[in-house]
Amino acid sequence: MNRTLCTWIAAFLLASGAIAIAARTPQAQPDLDARVTKFLEEHRYGWRDLNVPEGDGQILHDLVVKGRYTRALEIGTSTGRSGVWTAWALAKTGGKLITIEIDKGRHDEAVRNFQAAGLAAFIDARLGDAHDLVPKLEGPFDFVFIDADKDWYTAYAKAVIPKLVVGGCLTAHNVYQRRGGGYRGGDSTGDFYGYLTSLPFMETTVTPGGVAISYKRREK
């Protein structure tokens, strides 16, 4: 192989690597950042219908950016506050969010909010029953947020963990410590946290505000 050809191949590989790294590196988007910040500020006190608190939205955003996740799933859109935070992060990593909501009124309001925040291009908002839709999703996913019917948290986890890539993150809202120890997912019986901690390949912690964060460290 002559020197000119070797030089060309080396340059091509270096360029390809730079492109790949750039695609995975969170990108600054001043105009979009300003628009989302303005939207969140204007709507700070107007969220209802089981939306996450602002601090929990910030946690989701930071997890996605830090992990450079690009293939996200949200189970339980409500009217879109958590979706805005997650999609804002995905806009920086070059990813996209699939979010599922069973209630048409909440779904429609969420879609309007996504459009107003300038994030609609990063969100695939689906109207339907997550009990049926989630098991049918192909994946793979690298970030999942569960914030729907609490007694189905374990079923959702069982459906999505096989589709979660190694290094991926599974999060869930309203997971609080019980009296006497242990955790419960909202009003459920507590099997969700017990199920996660029983999996040797999942590393799980819970924030003081009740956000469960589980990383998939390896396959089974």
Side-chain angles (χ1 to χ4, degrees):
M1 186 179 296
N2 63 52
R3 180 175 298 179
T4 300
L5 181 58
C6 289
T7 301
W8 184 89
I9 291 173
F12 174 80
L13 291 174
L14 285 171
S16 299
I19 292 170
I21 292 170
R24 296 193 301 270
T25 302
Q27 301 295 309
Q29 302 180 82
D31 292 343
L32 180 60
D33 289 346
R35 181 171 176 178
V36 177
T37 299
K38 182 173 184 290
F39 172 85
L40 289 171
E41 181 61 32
E42 290 176 345
H43 292 76
R44 172 172 290 178
Y45 303 108
W47 297 98
R48 301 290 185 273
D49 293 315
L50 306 176
N51 282 285
V52 301
E54 182 177 32
D56 293 348
Q58 183 74 62
I59 288 172
L60 300 177
H61 171 278
D62 292 350
L63 286 170
V64 171
V65 172
K66 181 179 179 181
R68 297 181 180 180
Y69 300 130
T70 59
R71 294 163 290 177
L73 170 66
E74 176 181 60
I75 304 171
T77 313
S78 187
T79 58
R81 193 180 202 183
S82 54
V84 167
W85 280 99
T86 304
W88 187 14
L90 290 164
K92 300 171 185 178
T93 63
K96 193 160 187 176
L97 170 69
I98 295 174
T99 182
I100 300 170
E101 174 57 47
I102 193 171
D103 182 87
K104 188 177 187 305
R106 289 196 294 264
H107 165 83
D108 290 346
E109 185 175 347
V111 169
R112 292 193 295 270
N113 285 330
F114 298 150
Q115 293 169 344
L119 294 167
F122 304 98
I123 302 172
D124 177 0
R126 303 186 184 185
L127 174 64
D129 188 340
H131 295 183
D132 298 325
L133 295 182
V134 170
K136 297 175 183 177
L137 295 173
E138 292 185 6
F141 300 104
D142 53 20
F143 185 80
V144 177
F145 178 53
I146 304 173
D147 190 18
D149 42 340
K150 307 303 185 258
D151 56 343
W152 269 74
Y153 270 30
T154 302
Y156 291 138
K158 289 180 178 179
V160 299
I161 286 175
K163 304 169 188 177
L164 188 68
V165 301
V166 173
C169 182
L170 169 68
T171 60
H173 202 232
N174 301 124
V175 180
Y176 299 110
Q177 190 168 18
R178 292 188 196 173
R179 291 180 180 179
Y183 286 82
R184 61 184 177 85
D187 296 324
S188 74
T189 61
D191 63 339
F192 171 69
Y193 181 80
Y195 171 69
L196 285 181
T197 55
S198 74
L199 301 175
F201 54 90
M202 300 293 289
E203 180 182 306
T204 302
T205 58
V206 180
T207 71
V211 178
I213 302 171
S214 299
Y215 289 98
K216 188 173 185 180
R217 296 308 188 191
R218 64 179 191 277
E219 296 294 351
K220 294 182 179 181

